[in-house]
Amino acid sequence: MKKIAIGLVSTFLATSLVACSNSASEKQPDYTVKNVNVAITDNFHLIGQTFAKDSSGKKVDVKNKALYYEFKMKQNGDRNKFKKDKDVLEATIIPDPDLKKASKDIVGVDIFKKDHDEYGYGMGMVGFDATKSGKVSIDYEVGATVKNNYIPLAPSDKELKKLAKVARHGTLVLTRDKKEIARYSLEDLKPIEK
């Protein structure tokens, strides 16, 4: 009798473990975030160039600066699922209250809102062709380094360091075809349950 009871308990535990591992694999997000680098940069290879007119009406490169995030990521699951992602995937940052406050205090606006007339936002995606690994980058403009009539001058490097210091206080959100597919904590890069 004892052997039957132990056998039944063992079978139940094994079945439970299989069920748990199946449900855990079902919840795995489409992407795993492996690493993130955050910087304030004026490197146009990373953030592009912004042109505006100077006081005489001449078009000039304003040599913009931006808060730049670069995520190393890995796709999970069937590769067919990701074929169109370079065209339809979007990544944004939702700042925690202290990051939003730092943005407002240092830059003068919440740079994470996308409806600014003066401050731009950019996103890029490279890799994911021959392998499941690649990079997703996001940049939020913090100002220009050349005086112009359209984009305010960037705060000092000292002030921008304060912004960079809290830049990982927020959430990375991935959307595909305008539909949210995952959220990740910027601090530990782990997925956040909805």
Side-chain angles (χ1 to χ4, degrees):
M1 188 70 163
K2 264 187 179 178
K3 286 182 181 176
I4 293 172
I6 290 171
L8 286 173
V9 169
S10 298
T11 304
F12 174 76
L13 286 174
T15 306
S16 297
L17 288 172
V18 169
C20 287
S21 66
N22 283 344
S23 64
S25 65
E26 286 172 17
K27 291 182 180 179
Q28 187 177 30
D30 289 354
Y31 288 87
T32 299
V33 181
K34 297 292 200 179
N35 186 24
V36 61
N37 289 316
V38 182
I40 300 289
T41 184
D42 59 0
N43 185 337
F44 70 90
H45 294 293
L46 298 177
I47 63 173
Q49 290 176 284
T50 302
F51 292 91
K53 291 181 180 177
D54 64 12
S55 54
S56 64
K58 183 181 172 188
K59 188 175 170 183
V60 294
D61 178 359
V62 300
K63 301 193 184 307
N64 54 316
K65 284 188 176 183
L67 175 59
Y68 177 80
Y69 295 84
E70 182 180 86
F71 299 93
K72 287 184 182 174
M73 302 176 79
K74 178 179 165 278
Q75 295 169 332
N76 300 316
D78 181 11
R79 287 187 55 90
N80 289 328
K81 187 178 196 176
F82 305 102
K83 280 183 179 176
K84 294 181 181 176
D85 272 1
K86 283 195 176 178
D87 300 321
V88 297
L89 194 76
E90 285 189 43
T92 54
I93 303 294
I94 297 175
D96 283 354
D98 60 331
L99 177 53
K100 187 187 285 190
K101 182 179 184 316
S103 173
K104 287 179 177 178
D105 291 349
I106 294 164
V107 182
V109 296
D110 177 4
I111 59 171
F112 300 95
K113 283 189 169 183
K114 293 184 191 174
D115 56 357
H116 293 294
D117 291 332
E118 299 170 321
Y119 296 92
Y121 152 87
M123 191 210 125
M125 192 172 182
V126 295
F128 303 114
D129 297 319
T131 68
K132 289 187 172 188
S133 297
K135 293 178 185 175
V136 171
S137 63
I138 313 170
D139 61 89
Y140 295 92
E141 202 168 55
V142 295
T145 58
V146 173
K147 196 170 182 180
N148 67 90
N149 293 330
Y150 297 97
I151 302 167
L153 290 174
S156 70
D157 289 344
K158 184 179 178 182
E159 289 296 300
L160 290 173
K161 277 184 186 175
K162 293 177 189 174
L163 181 62
K165 197 171 184 178
V166 294
R168 289 187 63 176
H169 295 189
T171 304
L172 167 67
V173 179
L174 293 182
T175 59
R176 179 186 286 129
D177 285 324
K178 309 293 182 197
K179 184 180 177 184
E180 185 176 319
I181 60 169
R183 287 183 178 223
Y184 307 84
S185 163
L186 288 177
E187 294 190 49
D188 62 16
L189 305 181
K190 291 181 180 173
I192 299 170
E193 296 274 337
K194 289 184 201 175

